[in-house]
Amino acid sequence: MIRRVRVAAAGEEHRLDQLSAPLDLGALTAGASGPWEVELGFGRGTWLVGRAEAGGGRFLGVELAATYYKILRRKAFSRRLTNLVAIRGEAQYVLDAVLPREFARAVHVYFPDPWPKARHHKRRFLDSLSLDLVLRLLEPGGRLLFATDHLEFGEETLAGLSGHPALDLRRVDGPWPGGPRTNYERKYEREGRPILRLEAVRVREEPVFHPAGEREVVAGWV
Ligand SMILES: C[S@@+](CC[C@H](N)C(=O)[O-])C[C@H]1O[C@@H](n2cnc3c(N)ncnc32)[C@H](O)[C@@H]1O
């Protein structure tokens, strides 16, 4: 796994085994400043690159597909962006083993694969287990933003998030201010598909587990 993870920042690419864990994000974006925002599964990366170009913060994206990662890397390098870090890797592994904790002001998850077949539901991102990993990225007061066109998946995600004691959750009615954020959102809005959007704020200072995720964990000492 570790050998397949790539990290691109400030015109250079690194293999994960050449870097320290958790990643020293400050060193990767030397000279840049401002709050961090993270996008998980950035696809073609249009939104993330646009945000980084506009400035006013630092941005990090995680994407499993090598083709999409390379597209973002090319855009970031050709624009000489020093406030954008792109990671090619599996999001749960990256959240668990690679990224520091509580560094992000916002985490964005837009149109994650819905895995519609029941036997694949456990692969869905933002179930009670992956949610706890995502929340570890957020500083207290940080926000998690989510959108999907798969309404059953969206309602299930909403139910899971609303059961989390660290979150203050709301449905976002209508489009985001500023219009569609990602390629999928632009396409689905054009097609007139209903989209479920959520915003959750981490309201607790101390880390808290999701009650459903916690059930399977047993800790003991002698
Ligand atoms: C349906 S696309 C949405 C892309 C983009 N967020 C958008 O809205 O245009 C889902 C993206 O998540 C990525 N993805 C799926 N599983 C992933 C995982 N476990 N870790 C990281 N990225 C993943 C896919 O490669 C794909 O680019």
Side-chain angles (χ1 to χ4, degrees), residues 94-105:
V94 172
L95 296 176
D96 190 23
V98 178
L99 293 179
R101 295 187 182 190
E102 304 198 331
F103 74 97
R105 178 168 294 180

Side-chain angles (χ1 to χ4, degrees), residues 39 41-43 62-65 68 89-91 110-111 113 182-184:
E39 186 179 3
F42 54 71
V62 182
E63 171 57 54
L64 182 60
Y68 288 149
E90 203 284 311
Y110 297 133
F111 305 91
D113 297 322
T182 64
N183 288 10
Y184 272 73

Side-chain angles (χ1 to χ4, degrees), residues 5 43 59 124 149 163:
V5 178
F59 300 89
R124 286 176 166 175
D149 64 306

Side-chain angles (χ1 to χ4, degrees), residues 1-188:
M1 175 69 83
I2 187 171
R3 301 185 68 79
R4 291 173 45 219
V5 178
R6 294 284 183 277
V7 180
E12 289 183 19
E13 184 174 74
H14 312 268
R15 278 198 342 235
L16 188 60
D17 54 0
Q18 297 164 333
L19 298 168
S20 58
L23 280 190
D24 183 347
L25 295 175
L28 289 168
T29 52
S33 60
W36 280 97
E37 298 200 27
V38 176
E39 186 179 3
L40 302 173
F42 54 71
R44 299 182 71 85
T46 313
W47 185 68
L48 205 55
V49 168
R51 292 290 315 277
E53 269 192 305
R58 290 174 288 180
F59 300 89
L60 182 143
V62 182
E63 171 57 54
L64 182 60
T67 314
Y68 288 149
Y69 161 77
K70 285 177 189 165
I71 291 173
L72 183 70
R73 184 187 61 188
R74 180 169 44 74
K75 289 180 186 168
F77 287 5
S78 67
R79 289 165 175 77
R80 299 183 192 288
L81 295 172
T82 56
N83 61 345
L84 176 59
V85 176
I87 302 182
R88 186 203 106 65
E90 203 284 311
Q92 292 214 23
Y93 175 76
V94 172
L95 296 176
D96 190 23
V98 178
L99 293 179
R101 295 187 182 190
E102 304 198 331
F103 74 97
R105 178 168 294 180
V107 176
H108 305 264
V109 183
Y110 297 133
F111 305 91
D113 297 322
W115 295 107
K117 290 183 183 156
R119 70 174 187 278
H120 293 151
H121 282 188
K122 58 180 178 298
R123 298 185 192 170
R124 286 176 166 175
F125 204 64
L126 282 188
D127 63 357
S128 55
L129 298 173
S130 55
L131 177 59
D132 279 332
L133 291 176
V134 171
L135 293 183
R136 294 200 309 185
L137 303 184
L138 282 180
E139 60 190 25
R143 293 179 310 142
L144 170 64
L145 298 119
F146 172 88
T148 184
D149 64 306
H150 195 290
L151 300 185
E152 174 260 316
F153 173 37
E155 292 294 344
E156 199 174 282
T157 305
L158 184 147
L161 293 181
S162 66
H164 201 296
L167 294 178
D168 185 9
L169 176 69
R170 72 174 184 100
R171 258 179 211 265
V172 178
D173 294 323
W176 305 110
R181 295 190 165 167
T182 64
N183 288 10
Y184 272 73
E185 188 160 35
R186 194 164 297 111
K187 175 173 180 285
Y188 292 154

